[in-house]
Amino acid sequence: MLNYGLVGLGNLGEKIARNLLKKKITLKVYDKDQEKVNKLTKIGAISSLSTADTAVNVDGLITCLPSPKISTEVMIGENGAIQKMKPGSTWIETSTTDIKDLQLVSKIAEKQNIKTIEAPVTGGVHRAEKGIITVLVGAEKKNFLEHEEAIKAFGGKIFYLGEVASQSTVRRNSILIALRRRFGSSAE
């Protein structure tokens, strides 16, 4: 079985972590709030000292962070997690990201033989708690299948949408369609 690290234990990240642990998946966790880490170590998580420490010797590093800027900083900033990830491992980004930031980090990761799975979640904290949150996946199909068990541990409906950045395009277009339906079009 593969082992994972998770950075970001906010409303969604903490629920993702709990569901991974329920499935007996080995999980290292990190958050700036040590109390959140401590709660999860009581149910089997391994405490990490930093984002970079969370990335050491894991098959997949999951990030669940509040903004694209923070996610990019965690991955490629000073002492970024990507520097500690082993070749052949995978970054699994569950945050809602900016397509340009995602592509930047993904390209840097690829140069170090680290793969990327874009897997933002949608559906609310109540669905995340039950492990039935919707996951929109953009990744190489083989890489997705390698980590599918972990994604299924925290996700209910999982939609594979193609290569990395496919999800960002689909999500952006869905938002535009919803806004158009809500507010109408100036051309109508």
Side-chain angles (χ1 to χ4, degrees):
M1 184 176 281
L2 302 177
N3 62 74
Y4 292 86
L6 194 152
V7 176
L9 301 174
N11 289 332
L12 291 173
E14 182 260 341
K15 308 303 187 273
I16 289 171
R18 286 183 181 278
N19 284 305
L20 290 164
L21 292 166
K22 282 180 193 173
K23 296 292 184 177
K24 306 293 184 212
I25 293 173
T26 301
L27 183 67
K28 293 167 63 173
V29 294
Y30 176 77
D31 194 275
K32 291 189 304 185
D33 183 345
Q34 188 60 42
E35 276 188 44
K36 292 178 179 183
V37 173
N38 293 343
K39 284 181 185 177
L40 290 170
T41 59
K42 290 178 183 173
I43 60 169
I46 301 162
S47 177
S48 294
L49 302 173
S50 67
T51 57
D53 181 49
T54 311
V56 174
N57 293 323
V58 295
D59 299 300
L61 178 67
I62 302 166
T63 50
C64 190
L65 298 160
S67 76
K69 181 180 178 184
I70 294 170
S71 188
T72 300
E73 181 66 26
V74 160
M75 291 306 294
I76 62 173
E78 188 176 333
N79 298 315
I82 218 162
Q83 299 169 24
K84 300 294 184 179
M85 293 178 75
K86 65 184 178 184
S89 62
T90 300
W91 169 44
I92 303 170
E93 173 62 289
T94 64
S95 318
T96 299
T97 57
D98 176 82
I99 193 167
K100 290 178 185 173
D101 290 331
L102 177 76
Q103 289 172 328
L104 170 68
V105 176
S106 183
K107 284 180 184 173
I108 292 169
E110 188 176 5
K111 288 178 184 175
Q112 297 182 33
N113 193 26
I114 297 166
K115 298 169 235 135
T116 300
I117 295 177
E118 177 187 24
V121 294
T122 184
V125 174
H126 64 287
R127 294 179 64 81
E129 187 168 16
K130 295 176 185 174
I132 58 170
I133 199 157
T134 299
V135 186
L136 307 174
V137 176
E140 291 176 11
K141 184 75 170 190
K142 181 181 176 190
N143 192 30
F144 164 61
L145 293 174
E146 189 177 321
H147 295 279
E148 186 176 22
E149 182 180 346
I151 294 169
K152 283 183 174 179
F154 65 81
K157 291 182 182 176
I158 299 167
F159 296 97
Y160 176 75
L161 302 172
E163 298 296 314
V164 172
S166 299
Q167 181 286 136
S168 291
T169 303
V170 169
R171 191 166 190 159
R172 183 187 68 228
N173 290 342
S174 298
I175 291 168
L176 291 174
I177 290 167
L179 288 172
R180 185 168 184 205
R181 285 183 180 158
R182 171 81 193 245
F183 299 108
S185 169
S186 60
E188 296 179 338

